[in-house]
Amino acid sequence: MDIDDVKEIRILTEDESWDALLSGSLGRLAVSAGGILDIFPVNFVAADRRLLFRTAEGTKLLELTVNNHVVFETDGVGAEEAWSVVVKGTARILEKRSEIDDADQLPLRPLAPTLKYIYVEIIPTEVQGRRFQLGPEPDRY
């Protein structure tokens, strides 16, 4: 059975996927450096068809400088339905003062009480989402 055959699962358009991203704030960033995969939880903001998050010096930042190709995933769960969006793209550190000043105006604050001065932008090359109805598992046999 193909996902398109299941009525409870609907593939989102790119605009619908962005609407879902705009409502999210916590996701997972997947990176790969030296053949090793890592995944990091990050809080983020979607703005102007790009994603931004803040970070500090450490493994995540180091891996992004080695390989800037990333995958990002976020989701939401309600009482009757849920959604998931996956973004593939490239990451870059914001370095221009004007870009950093603009990013400072966005509603992006660390969840944990830590200082994170480095903004990272994910520029999407592919955005895919799906929305599905929640409910009991159908009869299996």
Side-chain angles (χ1 to χ4, degrees):
M1 178 180 299
D2 189 285
I3 191 170
D4 295 327
D5 297 331
V6 179
K7 291 179 184 170
E8 293 80 16
I9 299 175
R10 187 172 65 80
I11 303 299
L12 300 177
T13 66
E14 188 169 336
D15 286 340
E16 290 171 325
S17 294
W18 278 106
D19 287 344
L21 285 165
L22 287 167
S23 72
S25 63
L26 182 66
R28 286 150 297 285
L29 176 72
V31 298
S32 175
I36 305 296
L37 296 170
D38 265 325
I39 192 160
F40 300 94
V42 295
N43 61 306
F44 74 99
V45 66
D48 302 321
R49 299 251 169 172
R50 62 197 176 119
L51 304 175
L52 290 126
F53 65 91
R54 288 170 47 186
T55 191
E57 298 286 338
T59 305
K60 182 184 337 153
L61 189 60
L62 177 62
E63 291 183 19
L64 288 173
T65 60
V66 171
N67 180 2
N68 69 342
H69 296 280
V70 299
V71 177
F72 179 85
E73 191 272 340
T74 187
D75 46 44
V77 179
E80 297 180 8
E81 66 178 13
W83 57 266
S84 176
V85 176
V86 174
V87 176
K88 296 178 183 177
T90 56
R92 73 176 188 93
I93 298 167
L94 299 186
E95 295 178 338
K96 291 181 183 175
R97 182 81 249 157
S98 61
E99 291 177 318
I100 295 167
D101 289 344
D102 288 346
D104 274 337
Q105 301 306 308
L106 297 171
L108 181 58
R109 305 293 174 259
L111 294 177
T114 57
L115 295 174
K116 296 182 177 178
Y117 293 110
I118 302 166
Y119 282 99
V120 177
E121 173 187 52
I122 299 173
I123 303 161
T125 55
E126 185 178 330
V127 178
Q128 297 180 331
R130 58 182 65 168
R131 184 173 301 277
F132 44 95
Q133 298 297 311
L134 301 177
E137 180 180 18
D139 266 344
R140 295 173 68 182
Y141 305 104

